[in-house]
Amino acid sequence: MSVRNKGELSGREKAAILLITLGSNSASEIYKYLNEDEIEQLTLEIANMRKVEPETKDTVLEEFYDMCLAQNYIAEGGIGYAKEVLERALGNEKAVELINKLTSSLQVRPFDFARKADPSQLLNFIQDEHPQTIALILAYLSPQQSAAILSALPPEKQSDVASRIALMDRTSPDVVKDVERVLEKNLSSMVTSDFTTAGGVQSVVDILLSVDRGTEKHIMETLEIKNSELAEEIKKRMFVFEDIVTLDNRSIQRFLREVDNNDLALALKGSSSDVSKVIFSNMSKRLQEMIKEDIEFMGPVRLRDVEEAQQRIVNIIRRLEDAGEIVIARGGGDEVIV
């Protein structure tokens, strides 16, 4: 089957021509990112192609290059930036065509422009806003940006904003658009018509893991007074049992002195091999053999019992960190120097 002129080609035919042109090595790498149906359809399309005219191949390659270029511009500076650059390079009509093709399948998150901004600039703009407005904006930013802004807010506002992020669920598109207008940007047309999900406990955990220890401690102490259940849920996610692999040897040896051997055996029963390896490497050979023997003869155990044992060990680690006896590496300049 010969290939029709470029203007008559379907998206699947263009994809097949592109893979043929790129060669088998590149095509096989691209296949790794496709699902089974897509692989099957493209393979059939390729198998049915007998001849690709050089001008058709060149046109498809040119279109693919332009699409990649446009997508890179969107990633670097947003929709407005991409359109401006493409207009200068390709003309208004071609630029609009490329942007429309990409944005029809590309979901641009609210506050996309803000994620390209410096946190200090954003802070100046939003620090006097209502805590709910600040929480909404921070929920859409990267954890690093949000951490920088949260750390710079007045102490009395920090825990309020963190609490609102954690309790946030779904926000109406109209509200998101209004807040975007407050930031004097016009990306409202890119906001989806469905409710957008942001915030939640994990969102505030990601932010708190990036702030300095002083800010985190203040926020958590305030939350424990205002909403103890929420504070407990956040604490459980701040450092989980599997994070033990991130501790230095001295810290591991320190908390092991506090841990009940029965709890340790039960916790390791349901842990990853990496955690077991790092823990066993920080104890005596005799204790290793004893714990391994306990695990071997333990038999089946309930998942809930394993999780409770792991949480008791995590609580010990957190207590020792609060006492300054061990260090948990986190953002905000808390890199560990051994």
Side-chain angles (χ1 to χ4, degrees), residues 210-225:
S210 297
V211 302
D212 61 274
R213 176 61 173 152
T215 300
E216 179 213 318
K217 192 171 183 180
H218 168 75
I219 290 173
M220 292 306 301
E221 287 174 351
T222 307
L223 283 179
E224 284 171 358
I225 297 171

Side-chain angles (χ1 to χ4, degrees), residues 44-293:
L44 286 173
E45 198 71 52
I46 292 171
N48 287 326
M49 284 187 177
R50 296 290 179 266
K51 182 181 179 183
V52 181
E53 298 295 337
E55 59 269 24
T56 303
K57 178 192 72 174
D58 292 343
T59 307
V60 170
L61 276 176
E62 182 181 353
E63 182 180 346
F64 174 69
Y65 174 77
D66 288 342
M67 293 284 280
C68 289
L69 203 61
Q71 195 154 9
N72 283 338
Y73 287 146
I74 289 175
E76 289 174 12
I79 299 292
Y81 171 76
K83 186 172 183 293
E84 181 182 341
V85 175
L86 291 170
E87 279 180 347
R88 289 202 301 266
L90 307 171
N92 180 69
E93 185 177 342
K94 183 68 173 178
V96 171
E97 179 187 348
L98 286 171
I99 294 294
N100 286 342
K101 282 181 180 178
L102 285 173
T103 55
S104 63
S105 58
L106 181 68
Q107 181 180 357
V108 180
R109 290 190 68 199
F111 302 99
D112 179 67
F113 64 87
R115 286 188 289 279
K116 310 292 190 300
D118 183 80
S120 61
Q121 295 175 327
L122 290 172
L123 173 67
N124 290 334
F125 198 83
I126 70 174
Q127 61 185 345
D128 295 325
E129 295 293 329
H130 189 279
Q132 186 64 34
T133 301
I134 299 175
L136 177 63
I137 295 169
L138 296 194
Y140 280 106
L141 300 181
S142 70
Q144 291 73 28
Q145 285 178 302
S146 298
I149 294 171
L150 190 62
S151 299
L153 291 175
E156 64 274 11
K157 236 179 190 179
Q158 291 176 343
S159 58
D160 190 8
V161 171
S163 177
R164 290 171 185 270
I165 294 172
L167 297 174
M168 194 181 299
D169 184 13
R170 298 191 304 168
T171 306
S172 164
D174 292 335
V175 173
V176 174
K177 290 177 184 178
D178 287 341
V179 176
E180 284 189 310
R181 290 191 190 101
V182 169
L183 291 176
E184 294 181 336
K185 298 292 181 179
N186 191 22
L187 287 180
S188 60
S189 61
M190 303 300 169
V191 180
T192 64
S193 59
D194 296 327
F195 280 68
T196 55
T197 302
V201 174
Q202 191 55 49
S203 179
V204 79
V205 166
D206 291 339
I207 294 171
L208 290 177
L209 286 173
S210 297
V211 302
D212 61 274
R213 176 61 173 152
T215 300
E216 179 213 318
K217 192 171 183 180
H218 168 75
I219 290 173
M220 292 306 301
E221 287 174 351
T222 307
L223 283 179
E224 284 171 358
I225 297 171
K226 293 184 175 181
N227 191 331
S228 59
E229 290 184 5
L230 175 61
E232 187 61 32
E233 179 63 26
I234 291 173
K235 280 197 291 185
K236 285 180 180 178
R237 301 194 195 187
M238 289 289 290
F239 184 93
V240 296
F241 188 75
E242 297 296 318
D243 291 333
I244 285 173
V245 297
T246 67
L247 298 178
D248 62 275
N249 290 335
R250 178 184 169 280
S251 296
I252 294 172
Q253 293 162 15
R254 176 63 187 90
F255 83 74
L256 283 176
R257 296 203 298 270
E258 304 283 329
V259 174
D260 180 86
N261 286 343
N262 292 329
D263 272 350
L264 185 58
L266 188 56
L268 291 177
K269 178 82 172 178
S271 73
S272 69
S273 59
D274 289 339
V275 174
S276 298
K277 182 178 179 181
V278 77
I279 287 180
F280 284 136
S281 67
N282 279 283
M283 60 174 62
S284 68
K285 188 173 182 180
R286 180 175 172 277
L287 185 55
Q288 282 184 43
E289 293 172 352
M290 187 172 72
I291 297 296
K292 288 178 180 178
E293 187 175 294

